[in-house]
Amino acid sequence: MKSIVVVGSQWGDEGKGKVTDYLAQVADVVVRSQGGNNAGHTILFDNQKFALRSIPSGIFNPQIKNVMANGMVINPKQMLEELDGLIARGITNFQLFVSNRAHIVLPYHEALDGAFEQFKGDKKIGTTKRGIGPAYADKANRIGIRIGDFVNPHVFKEVLAETLNIKNMELKMLGLPQFSFAEIYNEYTEYAKRIAPYVCDTSLLLEAELKKGSKVLFEGAQGVMLCLDHGTYPYVTSSSPTGASVPLNCGIAPSYIQDVLGICKAYTTRVGEGPFPTELHNDLADYIREKGHEYGTVTQRPRRVGYLDCVALNYARRISGINHLAIMLFDVLTGIEKLKICYAYELDGQVINTIPATNYDYSRVKPLYIELDGWQEDITKVTTFAELPANAQKYLRTIEELTGVKIALLSIGPDRKQTIQLEELF
Ligand code: GDP
Ligand code: IMO
Ligand code: MG
């Protein structure tokens, strides 16, 4: 068996979807382990572009099993819309399995997400307003609804009645409109009927696959810097997108995790609020944003843009056990005269190499940079490392030196074909 965890090593949107789809050509199983439709994973092949939200990025390969694991929070309505969208585009031959222990996202979660953001005003997180935080909060508060209960109409009736009772009290206290039991129940039992055929104990499925020697790819959503525990709290998502979270979120033994592939843009982006030391507010940021189409897949918000931050990358490496790197959107850096990579921060006159725990400190760090010469040549059709301009090679080698991790994949365009494999993975 062989397992690889695809982990976002920055603030999300690093290109995890592209890499998962690329490696899914040779995998046996692809597993989405956490998050929900706050994710937007873009995939391009044969002149077709797809933006997946909750469905795993292995869905285009009919040979492989796609698993939505217990760590996810699944919006049934959105999931079915996504599935119908795929089917309408001819993706009809797929294998999909949904964990009976995953939680569901209901309309009151979305309403509460929006309301909390509004209450927070200036201090808002900048969430995707997809109800992710409130759904995970209900899970922790033991008033969530799991897929296994959802697809049994009798059990769903009971748990929805109990939960909605509490949620409506909460909504009332907050001065927000309440939800009708009958409306949710009638609408969502129809969704449950359609989801039921995909539901199973995915922990059993995964162990059986791993035991028989399958190649299993775990597709992370978000990124380590958005981790609930290790990210820039509270400007984070409500799950853990780290390599360490995969066994828990999938119901497998930690010893099954072998390799962790850290997905990293050649620069940095962030959507939503929170500290971002290498952020740029100049023409270069605009150039990168336009060239890299840096607008959110889910919310269309312009992404904040900055230089590559190897302190954050090293932090993600340490927290997640990243032992291979995939450098993405490398083509976007073509045409920039001087490039910078942050190798350390300065805080109160001290050089530091890690992420401070408090935003009070993190928002005060000053990035220290290595400056490198850029390149002008088009690299979007290059197929080997040797063909890259010398300065482009130098940029990549600098990342390897600063992290001590080899680059296994290099992405020089959004298409599946624009991928250079430098190290063996599967
Ligand atoms: P994910 O959430 O990590 O899957 O990443 P997103 O799909 O949200 O964002 C990555 C964006 O970069 C998408 O629009 C991809 O199509 C695009 N992309 C991925 N790799 C490359 C690349 O090497 N070059 C360019 N120009 N775009 C890329
Ligand atoms: P993928 O998988 C980038 C960000 C939001 C916000 C914070 C909390 O496509 O990389 P949430 O809705 O999760 O409560 O929002 O996290 N965020 C993402 N940013 N990519 C994502 O997913 C994200 N998922 C959540 O913008 O700052
Ligand atoms: Mg994304």
Side-chain angles (χ1 to χ4, degrees):
M1 73 96 186
K2 173 86 198 196
S3 72
I4 301 176
V5 176
V6 168
V7 96
S9 65
Q10 297 166 310
W11 279 276
D13 300 328
E14 300 91 347
K16 297 173 293 292
K18 176 182 165 168
V19 170
T20 306
D21 165 72
Y22 174 82
L23 291 173
Q25 306 310 304
V26 290
D28 299 304
V29 185
V30 170
V31 191
R32 254 294 295 273
S33 54
Q34 41 71 231
N37 63 333
N38 48 350
H41 293 183
T42 318
I43 290 156
L44 230 113
F45 60 89
D46 299 341
N47 293 319
Q48 295 191 85
K49 185 172 170 176
F50 295 91
L52 297 176
R53 308 278 302 281
S54 347
I55 307 281
S57 299
I59 202 75
F60 306 103
N61 182 351
Q63 311 301 325
I64 69 175
K65 294 189 170 76
N66 285 275
V67 174
M68 295 169 71
N70 59 280
M72 286 191 74
V73 286
I74 299 169
N75 180 323
K77 183 179 184 175
Q78 182 280 326
M79 177 196 155
L80 289 170
E81 280 169 7
E82 189 174 338
L83 215 48
D84 288 341
L86 289 170
I87 292 166
R89 292 179 66 183
I91 313 300
T92 50
N93 193 7
F94 54 79
Q95 303 179 54
L96 183 64
F97 302 86
V98 179
S99 168
N100 47 14
R101 290 183 174 82
H103 280 244
I104 60 169
V105 181
L106 288 172
Y108 50 78
H109 293 124
E110 290 170 314
L112 285 166
D113 197 354
F116 284 136
E117 284 287 275
Q118 213 180 337
F119 298 152
K120 284 181 185 144
D122 284 356
K123 299 274 182 250
K124 73 176 196 292
I125 311 289
T127 75
T128 58
K129 297 193 184 153
R130 294 312 189 268
I132 304 300
Y136 276 118
D138 279 2
K139 174 180 172 176
N141 212 11
R142 293 149 298 174
I143 52 166
I145 299 178
R146 305 214 288 188
I147 290 276
D149 291 338
F150 172 56
V151 296
N152 178 327
H154 306 292
V155 179
F156 181 47
K157 197 170 198 171
E158 216 173 281
V159 291
L160 179 66
E162 284 166 22
T163 303
L164 198 56
N165 195 17
I166 299 170
K167 298 313 287 187
N168 274 338
M169 284 195 272
E170 189 181 339
L171 289 159
K172 195 174 167 192
M173 281 191 296
L174 295 169
L176 299 169
Q178 299 177 44
F179 284 84
S180 138
F181 169 83
E183 271 176 34
I184 296 188
Y185 183 73
N186 293 337
E187 182 181 350
Y188 279 75
T189 41
E190 292 306 311
Y191 302 147
K193 276 187 215 155
R194 290 195 56 204
I195 291 175
Y198 302 112
V199 176
C200 67
D201 189 329
T202 53
S203 162
L204 287 174
L205 180 154
L206 288 173
E207 183 173 61
E209 289 291 335
L210 288 158
K211 275 195 166 159
K212 81 172 190 209
S214 296
K215 292 177 187 151
V216 183
L217 191 59
F218 297 93
E219 175 183 14
Q222 291 82 50
V224 173
M225 298 301 288
L226 289 170
C227 172
L228 181 60
D229 279 79
H230 300 286
T232 45
Y233 190 90
Y235 301 101
V236 294
T237 190
S238 296
S239 66
S240 174
T242 63
S245 78
V246 168
L248 179 71
N249 285 328
C250 299
I252 57 158
S255 51
Y256 279 124
I257 303 301
Q258 290 175 322
D259 287 337
V260 182
L261 176 62
I263 317 301
C264 181
K265 272 181 183 166
Y267 47 94
T268 309
T269 63
R270 174 166 204 175
V271 259
E273 310 304 316
F276 179 179
T278 64
E279 184 170 14
L280 293 166
H281 301 277
N282 57 14
D283 291 350
L284 180 56
D286 296 338
Y287 175 85
I288 292 176
R289 188 176 302 107
E290 294 315 313
K291 197 159 174 216
H293 306 290
E294 293 296 357
Y295 293 87
T297 316
V298 177
T299 55
Q300 315 307 321
R301 286 177 290 178
R303 293 176 182 146
R304 299 158 66 192
V305 173
Y307 287 123
L308 180 63
D309 182 342
C310 275
V311 180
L313 182 55
N314 263 320
Y315 183 79
R317 175 194 55 71
R318 179 165 63 82
I319 298 293
S320 257
I322 291 169
N323 64 342
H324 296 284
L325 283 173
I327 299 297
M328 312 299 292
L329 294 110
F330 194 45
D331 52 299
V332 175
L333 296 186
T334 301
I336 300 169
E337 206 178 318
K338 294 278 180 198
L339 292 161
K340 287 184 184 179
I341 299 179
C342 165
Y343 67 92
Y345 302 143
E346 198 182 289
L347 177 65
D348 298 331
Q350 305 270 351
V351 175
I352 60 166
N353 291 292
T354 190
I355 309 292
T358 65
N359 286 321
Y360 173 70
D361 282 343
Y362 198 32
S363 55
R364 293 183 303 121
V365 302
K366 289 190 185 65
L368 302 176
Y369 290 112
I370 295 175
E371 194 176 80
L372 296 161
D373 291 326
W375 60 92
Q376 305 301 319
E377 299 88 334
D378 176 22
I379 58 166
T380 56
K381 291 175 193 71
V382 161
T383 55
T384 61
F385 184 85
E387 285 171 68
L388 290 168
N391 288 346
Q393 293 188 11
K394 177 92 193 298
Y395 190 87
L396 297 171
R397 291 293 178 230
T398 304
I399 299 171
E400 290 186 329
E401 277 160 27
L402 289 173
T403 57
V405 182
K406 285 242 174 262
I407 298 169
L409 290 179
L410 178 66
S411 180
I412 38 122
D415 196 275
R416 189 193 276 166
K417 288 201 187 108
Q418 291 172 298
T419 313
I420 306 172
Q421 189 152 352
L422 304 170
E423 298 272 313
E424 199 182 332
L425 287 164
F426 271 136

